[in-house]
Every structure is written in structure tokens, then in C-alpha cells.
Amino acid sequence: MENGLFIGGGGAEYGEKQYLDLKYANRHGLIAGATGTGKTVTLQILAESFSAAGVPVFLSDVKGDLSGLADRGSPDFKLHEAFTKRAAQIGFTEFTYDAFPAVFWDLFGQQGHPVRTTVAEMGPLLLARLLDLTEAQEGILNIAFRLADEQGLPLLDLKDLQALLVWTGENRAELSLRYGNVSVASIGAIQRRLLVLENEGGAEIFGEPALDLADMMRLDADGRGQINILAADTLMASPKLYATFLLWLLSELFEDLPEVGDPDKPKLVFFFDEAHLLFDGAPKALVDKVEQVARLIRSKGVGVYFITQNPDDIPEDILGQLGNRVQHALRAFTARDKKALRMAAETYRPNPDFDTETAIREVGVGEAVTSMLQKKGVPGIVQRTLIRPPSSKLGPIPASLRAQLIAASDLGAKYANAVDRDSAHEMLKRRADAAAKAAEEAERREEEQSAAEREFNAGRRYSGTRVSRSSAKTRKRTLNFDDSSLGGAIANVLVKELKGTTGRRIVRGILGGLFKAR
């Protein structure tokens, strides 16, 4: 086929060449099969073929085997004889060993160029999935992102988000009236999840310079597509981080790339290995987002190929959009396995020469049941296919060669050093420092004021004699005599006696005598 990728040989004696039409390569695909049946080699030969056709590729290297794409195969390899024999059997006359333009990436910056994005670009939905937040906690996260937009606070790295959550908690009373309940407990739970992510090394992916998608969609001097290899052997220890990052990358491609309709060949092919991790325990909103991206991203010229052990790991709505399929052997040991095998067989267009279900169960290592889209996007008849041998090295390359390729890449200078520019953390810190300084200055001025100034500032203004009681009642006057003279002393004693019982009797007697005389 003039505009197709040679996959292998099918039909009688495997002599019929099987192609993947580049025009329909953006209609997505599936590579499935049990462990050890040859999925990784199929992924490798597809990456080689796309690169040779001038299509950039992105793939994740889960086991470290795919780094061999950067080095050519060797006649000294133990499988050289088997490779040449298979190439002759399937009519692969152009079989030669070759290396391909590979660029290595690593979220942790150890086995490749660092890959970074900002917290704002990740967004609350994917971040909530990454942190495994509840619905209430996700609501708090959405409030924080809204506040960042309204307050002009760039969210670039984790410390920006942590600082914003602290500020949200401090102003929760006011924010609750506007956005709904802002719980301190929910904020604390999010902060703990961020701490766990930070301890796992997840903080390394947040920051700048952020990944420029154009750096992944380049061609070399010979017109071959760049193969971007993400080191994922360490990353697989954090499966949610792995799945969330790849979904973010797909979302960025969907949002940034222009519409191209149905191109003659894809602008980029994206291989999603261990695809079941994307859907395990994923909320419906996230699955809906994946379905939306898978349905619409093909119009951006991007083909997405899911690699998993069993087709039923992928939701049915998404599985129905995967037109190009390579199904390696499935083992049916349990009733569930048998049901999955039967369902997988029913999705293929039947071939009268063999039973599809039986073929899926019996194909050997390096052999698969394949079906590729043909003219007008019609699924091709299912075929038993011997997958062609790879031209690049089978297995990982030495660490020294990897280091050499990383050092020689022109992308090293761009992404090697992180940049910490002014963002939410620094802005909120300046606000807090300014408020603390203003409060300290006000306290100092108050201490320097005199007592009169403080009383004046407190509003306690007065003048004249202070009246402690009401003057409505006239106080009783008391007679005061000079105690220094004998007369004064006698007078005081007399007054006391008159005030006493004896005095009152004398007064009554005098008054009685006066009234009787009248």
C-alpha cells in the first residue's frame, strides 16, 4: 500500500501483506493481549513505521524496553535469524536494522528531560482525580481556582495552591456566604493529600518552564517523526499520577491544536500503555471527558492507541471508537475470561476461513488477530497476522547511551532548570507581610501617644468639673464646730446627745409642754 504502514503478513501461509492506512490512522486503535504475547513489540514496530512516515509519536515506556527505538538492531542479536526468517515469510523485503530519532522525557527529570505543567493548566477536575478527593473537597478546590482567577493569583506549582488554600481558610466566613460552605476540615484534607503527593515526588511535575507541545511534534533532518519516550518504570509506582498526566497531555493536545479534518496522515500518534489505569475507579465526569477527547481529537489530526491486557478494561463507549485493532492472545481461565474473550471476538468483522474466538485463544507470541480500517473507514475482515520484526534494538539501551542522547538533545537547555517566577505564593506572602507591618506600625504609634491623646482618640472628651452623681437632691448640711476649744467639744457632745434617744425624749417633753400651755 502506497500510503500505509506494513504491519505483518496474514492469510494463507501469512503471505498477504497487512497494512494500516495512514489516512485512517487518526481513527484511533487498540493493542490488547495477555502478558508475554508481544504487545510491546507491536507498539515498537508501529512507532517505527509512523516515524518513518513522518509522523511524530508519543509513548510511555512502562518496562524500559522501548528505549531500544533510539538504537539500531544488530545481526549479533540472538533473534536475528528468527527475524530474517519471519521477514522472508511475510514478504518484508525492505527489512533492515535502523535507529530512530528519539527524545527521552521523565516527570522526575532523572531518565530524560523534565516534563512540567502548571497547576492552573492541570485544572481542578484532573487534580481532584490525582488527589482522590471527595465531591465536597473537589468543590473547595474549584472555589480556590475561581479565587485565583478573580484575585489575579497565578497557580504555577504546589506551594502556590497550598498558600491559596491557607488564604481561603482564613477568609472562609466571607467566602462561605458567596460560594457555599468552606469547611476547614475539607481544606485540611486537601492539604494532607498535597503533602502525600509532594512526598511521592509529584511536586516535580508542577512548575515552569511548562512543556511546549511543539517540542514533541518535530521532524528530524530526514523528515522522520520524532519519537517521544516517557520513562514510566518509576512513575508506575504512582498509577494515578501516571494516568492523570497522560490524560492532561491528551487534553492539552485537544485544546491547543487546530482543526484539520481528515488529513492524509496524523500530526501525532499517542500510545497510552497500561490504559486500564485511566479508568480504574475513575468518576463518571472523568470517563466522560476521556470519551469526549477520544471522539473529537481525531479532527485535530491526533491518533490515540490504547494498550491493555483485555479489551473490556476500556469502557464500551470509548472502545467503539477504536477502529484499528491488534488483538494478541487472550487466556480464558475463568468464566469472566471466557466472557471477555467471546465479547472481544464479536467486535470483529468475521472471516469465513476461521473462527475468531478460537483464533484469539490460539495465536502464538508475535502473532495477532488484526483488523484495520479500509476505504471510507469500513472495518477490514479479521485476519490472523504475523507481526513484522522490529528494525530498532529489541530491549533497553545502556544507561550511558541514554545519557549521551539526552546531553546531545537541544531541548536540554530549555527544560533542565526550573524557573520560579512571581506567583500566588509570593503575592499572598507579600499581602500577609504588608498587613502584619501595618498592624505593627499602628500598635507602635498607639504606644507612643500620651495618655491625653489616647483618651481623645478613644472619644472620651470632657471639660470642667466632673460630676459623679446627680445634683437633683440637695445634700443635708451638718454642723461643724471647732474641736480645738472646750466650748466646741461640749457643743459636739451636746449635738450627739440630741441626736440620740435621750435627746429625742427631751425634745418631745419640751414640745408637749408648749402645746399643753396653749
Side-chain angles (χ1 to χ4, degrees):
M1 180 180 287
E2 183 178 349
N3 195 36
L5 307 181
F6 179 57
I7 303 299
E13 303 298 326
Y14 304 109
E16 299 177 11
K17 294 184 177 181
Q18 303 297 310
Y19 290 93
L20 191 163
D21 194 337
L22 276 174
K23 187 175 181 180
Y24 301 110
N26 65 328
R27 302 289 181 94
H28 312 319
L30 171 71
I31 303 173
T35 302
T37 56
K39 297 191 302 295
T40 301
V41 176
T42 298
L43 193 162
Q44 184 169 343
I45 66 105
L46 284 176
E48 291 177 359
S49 300
F50 278 119
S51 176
V55 179
V57 172
F58 176 89
L59 55 87
S60 51
D61 191 5
V62 173
K63 296 179 291 186
D65 295 344
L66 293 172
S67 61
L69 283 160
D71 195 9
R72 67 176 60 246
S74 171
D76 298 330
F77 184 55
K78 62 181 180 180
L79 294 179
H80 171 69
E81 185 178 348
F83 285 174
T84 53
K85 182 179 179 181
R86 173 170 293 197
Q89 183 179 4
I90 62 178
F92 189 22
T93 56
E94 302 86 3
F95 175 62
T96 57
Y97 291 120
D98 197 4
F100 294 83
V103 173
F104 295 96
W105 303 89
D106 185 0
L107 264 67
F108 305 115
Q110 298 173 355
Q111 301 184 69
H113 303 304
V115 182
R116 303 184 189 92
T117 182
T118 64
V119 172
E121 287 177 343
M122 179 70 75
L125 176 62
L126 292 180
L127 198 56
R129 165 63 171 162
L130 176 59
L131 300 176
D132 197 20
L133 301 183
T134 64
E135 184 176 351
Q137 293 161 1
E138 184 179 348
I140 300 292
L141 199 61
N142 276 280
I143 292 173
F145 273 78
R146 171 66 68 85
L147 291 172
D149 291 338
E150 294 178 351
Q151 298 284 331
L153 300 171
L155 295 177
L156 304 182
D157 49 29
L158 281 191
K159 68 176 184 292
D160 290 330
L161 181 57
Q162 291 166 336
L164 181 59
L165 288 171
V166 170
W167 185 85
T168 302
E170 292 172 345
N171 297 273
R172 63 186 180 279
E174 178 184 350
L175 296 175
S176 294
L177 295 175
R178 182 177 179 185
Y179 298 106
N181 184 40
V182 177
S183 167
V184 177
S186 294
I187 293 177
I190 299 172
Q191 294 281 40
R192 288 192 296 273
R193 298 293 174 85
L194 290 174
L195 181 61
V196 171
L197 178 63
E198 193 172 7
N199 291 339
E200 292 178 349
E204 299 294 330
I205 74 170
F206 295 106
E208 292 184 318
L211 177 65
D212 185 354
L213 296 179
D215 290 333
M216 303 180 65
M217 303 176 66
R218 307 188 304 177
L219 305 179
D220 71 354
D222 298 326
R224 297 184 300 174
Q226 175 177 293
I227 299 178
N228 302 277
I229 302 175
L230 176 69
D233 47 350
T234 303
L235 183 60
M236 288 303 295
S238 304
K240 284 187 179 178
L241 178 59
Y242 168 78
T244 304
F245 169 75
L246 293 186
L247 182 55
W248 164 79
L249 188 55
L250 271 179
S251 300
E252 288 295 298
L253 289 168
F254 172 69
E255 293 174 5
D256 291 355
L257 295 179
E259 294 278 346
V260 295
D262 289 320
D264 292 334
K265 62 182 179 181
K267 298 179 66 176
L268 177 73
V269 171
F270 189 102
F271 289 97
F272 202 134
D273 202 358
E274 300 292 342
H276 67 279
L277 296 175
L278 181 59
F279 307 105
D280 285 349
K284 186 178 184 303
L286 186 61
V287 175
D288 291 344
K289 183 176 180 64
V290 177
E291 181 185 351
Q292 178 193 33
V293 170
R295 184 187 308 112
L296 301 177
I297 202 172
R298 74 176 184 86
S299 64
K300 306 294 184 80
V302 178
V304 182
Y305 288 72
F306 294 92
I307 299 95
T308 188
Q309 292 192 15
N310 204 315
D312 69 355
D313 293 335
I314 299 174
E316 187 174 352
D317 291 339
I318 298 174
L319 189 63
Q321 300 177 45
L322 310 182
N324 301 296
R325 301 192 179 191
V326 179
Q327 177 66 66
H328 289 274
L330 286 178
R331 311 305 182 199
F333 299 114
T334 66
R336 181 181 180 277
D337 293 340
K338 293 178 181 179
K339 181 180 179 181
L341 175 60
R342 184 173 62 255
M343 292 179 63
E346 290 174 353
T347 60
Y348 289 94
R349 183 177 169 188
N351 188 326
D353 294 336
F354 60 88
D355 177 66
T356 306
E357 183 176 344
T358 303
I360 294 176
R361 188 169 52 246
E362 293 180 349
V363 289
V365 176
E367 185 182 5
V369 171
T370 63
S371 174
M372 304 297 168
L373 295 179
Q374 297 177 343
K375 291 182 179 180
K376 298 183 180 180
V378 176
I381 295 175
V382 64
Q383 295 286 350
R384 291 186 63 154
T385 304
L386 274 180
I387 305 299
R388 76 163 180 85
S391 298
S392 56
K393 181 178 179 179
L394 192 64
I397 61 175
S400 58
L401 179 57
R402 179 192 287 265
Q404 180 181 345
L405 293 171
I406 293 172
S409 172
D410 60 334
L411 297 175
K414 181 175 182 178
Y415 294 104
N417 298 318
V419 177
D420 188 11
R421 66 182 176 94
D422 199 49
S423 53
H425 176 262
E426 290 78 14
M427 292 178 178
L428 291 173
K429 187 176 185 300
R430 284 199 298 271
R431 288 188 190 180
D433 291 344
K437 186 176 181 180
E440 183 179 351
E441 181 66 20
E443 185 178 353
R444 184 187 62 78
R445 288 198 303 267
E446 185 177 355
E447 290 177 352
E448 291 177 352
Q449 289 176 335
S450 64
E453 288 176 330
R454 288 198 297 271
E455 200 164 4
F456 178 83
N457 291 336
R460 297 168 62 188
R461 306 174 185 178
Y462 64 93
S463 61
T465 304
R466 180 176 294 176
V467 179
S468 60
R469 283 181 153 187
S470 174
S471 57
K473 295 182 179 180
T474 304
R475 294 182 181 179
K476 295 181 180 180
R477 291 190 175 184
T478 57
L479 297 174
N480 294 317
F481 299 95
D482 187 3
D483 294 338
S484 60
S485 63
L486 178 60
I490 294 173
N492 286 333
V493 171
L494 180 61
V495 170
K496 290 180 181 179
E497 287 297 327
L498 288 175
K499 287 181 178 180
T501 304
T502 304
R504 288 195 295 272
R505 290 176 180 173
I506 294 174
V507 172
R508 284 199 300 269
I510 294 173
L511 292 176
L514 290 175
F515 284 110
K516 285 181 180 180
R518 289 185 180 181

